[in-house]
Structure formats: structure tokens, C-alpha cells
Amino acid sequence: MEAAKFFVVACMQAVWVRYRLARGFGPSLMSRRPRAFQALARTLWAAPEGSRASRIALRTARLAAENPFALRELLGELHLEATGRSHSWNLPGVGRYRPTPPPVNVFLFEPVESAGQEPRMRVEAFLLAPAPPLPSPSTGTHDALAGWLIHAAMLEEESDPPEGDGFGTLSGLLARTDDPRLLSALSEQFSAGISSGKSGPGDERWPYPLWRDGAPTLLNRMVKANPHLPVLPAPPEGGPPWYCEAPAVLLVLLRERPDQVAHVVRCLGPHGVVASLERGLGLQAPPEFTEACQQALRRLEDPVARDDVCRGALFREEMRAAAVDAGYIPSAFDDSRKAAFLFATEQWERYDAADPHGTLLARFCNSRPDDDAGSDNWWWELRTAIRSAAQRSGRPDPLPKPRTTSPPTYRAQGPVGSWPTSYTGDIGGFHGI
């Protein structure tokens, strides 16, 4: 009974889709009456595999795919089916996406002729083609579909274990694709995997970590295998760009290409690279990846990047170890500040050799921040680190003891005039002593 119902519905959908295709598409028709493609997407998703209804729906979908506007409508509806018809497709929860059934996979990954290029999978050819000029549903945009494919590939690891080269149909596509949107979506998911590395595999906000129980996940293997990653902008002609983080540096280390770290610094700036390398030290990753991050911190060539490591060395043990091992000293430091840095990072042999009598350190400890350097936080950070280093090592604290002042005392003095508001030299008739 259920199969007969699907068969009747599939036949009706074929008629509806042909009617839509015959009417054509225009601004007044686009996405106003999507029921034909909505019903077709549901049948493709729900009809039993190999049934007559499934075969009819697949033939109808192929007919619709010959029109770029109809293809966009159908892909948008398939995307909604993947999310359980929830419009919150951009939320990364794993429960918001359903495994893709085989008939839908057949439609998405069927080889089609691509203009001027070798045959590509249907969904890949759609993403590479320019977006049709008519307005599209939010679920049918190229970027939304690229994000869906990333999630579908992650679910492929659970529902369809890869064979042969270690990849399934979709994960194999992502492991070799050069499509800019897929590469961007893959890079974003890699960044999310880096963010999940410190919160642990049980964090539902980021369901796709890069390692699970010490073994690389499918996401890890896809980004490592894709020869077109990372995607980097051109190096700027002026000063270095400012990025809070630059996960691309962790990707080149994952690909075992530490020689590309300097290029990432030139493209994305030193601050983001150092921040990402420090984050890499705290990931739940295999020892060889952590070792690669440690070595990258110790082999930085950019002076600003080295300064960032030195600043982190004042308060964090891993960064202090990197700065000490590499012999970094903040650039533009005079002799007194260099001595203060050596003391603050507990490099006692180097400090005693550079300042045997303690005069350089005393000069810094008794100095004041420069009047023209209001944004110079080194002075304050060095003093805080010096006090902490002295406490940890048991050495005498070289900083002057803070002055203790007693609170001011006040005494009452009688009013000059007959009114309380008469002038007495202070408000209310009180003089501070």
C-alpha cells in the first residue's frame, strides 16, 4: 500500500515538474510556487531505494536538472530535507543534518557534462557554474549547499564507511576538489575542528574534531589530502595584516610542510600565526603534531612574531620554553629591558652573564614608563613577570616596595560667618591636614 502511494505521488510530481519547466522561470515565478520541487525532493528522500517511485523521481530530477533554475530549486529543497526542513542550516549541530539516502547521492554525484571541462559530478558542476541571475531561496545558494556537503561527508563516515583509498563518494570529492566554495567550507570546518580540540569530543557545538582517540578523523584526512589547501590571499605590499588567529598555519603543519609557515606569516600576518600555534599546543592531538607546533614556534623568522612569543613567555610556560630554547629577545629593547626580560623568563645563566652586578635590572626597576609611549605595555608586563619570577625562584625581588601611605585626617573648623554656607576655605567647614 505504501509503495503504491509513493508510485502515484511520483507520477503526479513528474507532471507538475514538466508543467513548471514548460512555464519557464521569471522573477514573478521564482520560488513562489516551489511545491513541485518540494514534493519531488521528499519523494527522492523517502521512497524506498530501487522502487518504481524512486526510479520515476530520479528520472524527473534528471529532467529538472537540465534547467539551471529548476536545478537550483531542487537542490535547495534537498538541502531542506537534509536539515529536517529546518531553516537553521548554519548551526553546526550534528543532529541538524540527516544522512543522505542513496537515490539522492546518485542524483548529486552523477557525472554530467561541464562546459569546456571534463565531466564532473552534478553538484560540483553546479557549484562551479555562475549563479543564475534570478533570486534564489536561501537554502539554494551556492555557499549553503557547499556547507551542507561538508556535513554530509562527515555523516558519511558513520553511515557509509569508506573503502579502498579511505574515502567515500563525497569525502573523495572534497579530498580533491578545487571549487572555491567547497574549499572555503572545508577550511571553515577545519577551523571549527581546531576550536573543538580543547573542549573535547563531547562538545556538541563542534561535532567534527580532527582527532578521535588519537586517530585522525575523516575531516582530518580530507583536509590533509586536498592539494589545494590551504587557500591563502596574496601577500600584502604594505605592512603585515592583522588576524586574531590563522588556522592555516596548523593546516600546513598537519600536511607536514613546516617550510610553508613563513609564507603563511607573510600572507596572514605574524599575530594570528603565533596565536594559532599556541592554540595548537593545547589540542588533544598526537605528540607529533604538538611537536611540530613547538618547533614552528622556535623557528620563526619574522621579528614581530618573535616579539609575540616573547610577550607570551612572560606568563605562559609553553611560550616561555619556546622563547628560551630559541634564544628570542624582544626587538628594540635596550640593555636594561633585555636584562629585565632575561630575569622575568628565569634565564639565570644568561642574566648573570649580561648583568653580573644587577645594575641594568635596577635601572629598569627604578624607571617609569616613557611619557611618549602610552601604549607600551612591556613596562607593566615586565614588572609583573619579574615579581612572579622572583617568587618562584626564591631570588630577592628587585622591584621597589610599594609605598604605604596613611589615610588623610580631617578636623573640624568653626564657620567664619553665621551661616553654614559662609566661606571657610573648604566645603562644609573642614580642612584637610
Side-chain angles (χ1 to χ4, degrees):
M1 185 67 182
E2 189 71 18
K5 180 181 178 181
F6 270 117
F7 173 71
V8 172
V9 170
C11 292
M12 294 177 61
Q13 290 162 0
V15 175
W16 293 342
V17 168
R18 289 178 183 276
Y19 174 70
R20 279 296 309 272
L21 294 174
R23 289 191 64 187
F25 294 87
S28 61
L29 298 176
M30 194 62 185
S31 302
R32 287 203 174 184
R33 299 183 62 188
R35 286 177 294 179
F37 299 106
Q38 184 181 105
L40 178 58
R42 287 178 174 173
T43 302
L44 271 175
W45 205 278
E49 182 184 359
S51 64
R52 294 177 64 188
S54 178
R55 294 197 300 269
I56 292 174
L58 188 56
R59 285 200 302 267
T60 306
R62 288 168 177 160
L63 176 65
E66 296 176 2
N67 185 298
F69 301 109
L71 177 60
R72 182 174 60 181
E73 289 269 316
L74 181 55
L75 289 176
E77 294 300 331
L78 288 174
H79 181 197
L80 275 178
E81 288 296 326
T83 62
R85 307 211 68 81
S86 169
H87 288 273
S88 302
W89 60 269
N90 57 335
L91 297 178
V94 66
R96 297 185 183 275
Y97 284 87
R98 298 189 293 169
T100 310
V104 177
N105 282 332
V106 170
F107 176 72
L108 293 177
F109 308 131
E110 195 171 36
V112 296
E113 294 293 333
S114 184
Q117 297 177 343
E118 60 184 12
R120 291 179 179 266
M121 297 180 182
R122 176 173 282 114
V123 67
E124 187 180 17
F126 173 81
L127 290 172
L128 288 172
L134 293 179
S136 67
S138 61
T139 54
T141 61
H142 286 57
D143 293 338
L145 291 173
W148 167 37
L149 293 179
I150 301 299
H151 288 275
M154 298 300 105
L155 295 174
E156 187 179 64
E157 186 176 26
E158 303 173 4
S159 62
D160 183 20
E163 300 177 357
D165 60 356
F167 296 111
T169 303
L170 181 51
S171 55
L173 166 65
L174 297 175
R176 65 176 184 273
T177 183
D178 59 350
D179 176 68
R181 292 182 179 88
L182 288 177
L183 291 176
S184 176
L186 198 55
S187 299
E188 290 178 5
Q189 201 56 240
F190 174 79
S191 300
I194 292 295
S195 300
S196 71
K198 297 186 72 172
S199 55
D203 191 341
E204 296 182 354
R205 295 173 303 166
W206 307 113
Y208 311 129
L210 293 169
W211 292 275
R212 187 178 287 113
D213 298 329
T217 61
L218 181 60
L219 173 62
N220 184 313
R221 293 188 288 113
M222 283 193 303
V223 296
K224 187 175 182 179
N226 192 300
H228 306 287
L229 288 175
V231 179
L232 298 173
E237 296 180 359
W242 182 283
Y243 286 89
C244 294
E245 288 197 9
V249 70
L250 299 180
L251 180 52
V252 301
L253 294 180
L254 183 68
R255 295 172 59 87
E256 301 178 2
R257 291 299 305 274
D259 56 297
Q260 295 182 343
V261 171
H263 179 64
V264 178
V265 172
R266 288 192 295 270
C267 295
L268 300 179
H271 303 295
V273 167
V274 172
S276 291
L277 288 175
E278 184 177 7
R279 178 183 283 273
L281 297 177
L283 295 178
Q284 298 177 355
E288 55 269 19
F289 181 81
T290 304
E291 175 67 20
C293 293
Q294 293 172 342
Q295 293 303 317
L297 283 171
R298 288 158 171 77
R299 296 172 182 173
L300 293 169
E301 301 175 0
D302 187 272
V304 178
R306 292 185 174 191
D307 285 354
D308 283 0
V309 176
C310 291
R311 192 180 293 274
L314 297 180
F315 305 105
R316 295 183 289 279
E317 183 177 352
E318 288 282 357
M319 299 295 277
R320 181 162 58 248
V324 172
D325 292 347
Y328 294 158
I329 295 289
S331 59
F333 264 25
D334 59 15
D335 291 340
S336 62
R337 286 196 173 195
K338 289 179 181 178
F341 178 78
L342 294 174
F343 188 99
T345 52
E346 303 180 45
Q347 302 184 59
W348 303 126
E349 292 185 6
R350 295 184 65 188
Y351 168 72
D352 292 336
D355 188 22
H357 304 293
T359 54
L360 295 175
L361 182 61
R363 185 194 308 169
F364 171 80
C365 292
N366 291 290
S367 66
R368 288 185 169 275
D370 300 331
D371 296 334
D372 59 347
S375 62
D376 180 16
N377 294 323
W378 277 110
W379 189 86
W380 302 99
E381 294 173 351
L382 280 172
R383 293 172 72 88
T384 302
I386 285 173
R387 183 149 283 162
S388 299
Q391 293 173 354
R392 287 193 301 267
S393 64
R395 290 203 173 198
D397 188 351
L399 291 170
K401 298 297 184 290
R403 297 180 179 179
T404 56
T405 57
S406 57
T409 56
Y410 301 91
R411 64 180 177 83
Q413 194 167 357
V416 175
S418 57
W419 293 92
T421 55
S422 298
Y423 176 74
T424 60
D426 202 355
I427 298 177
F430 288 90
H431 286 269
I433 303 301

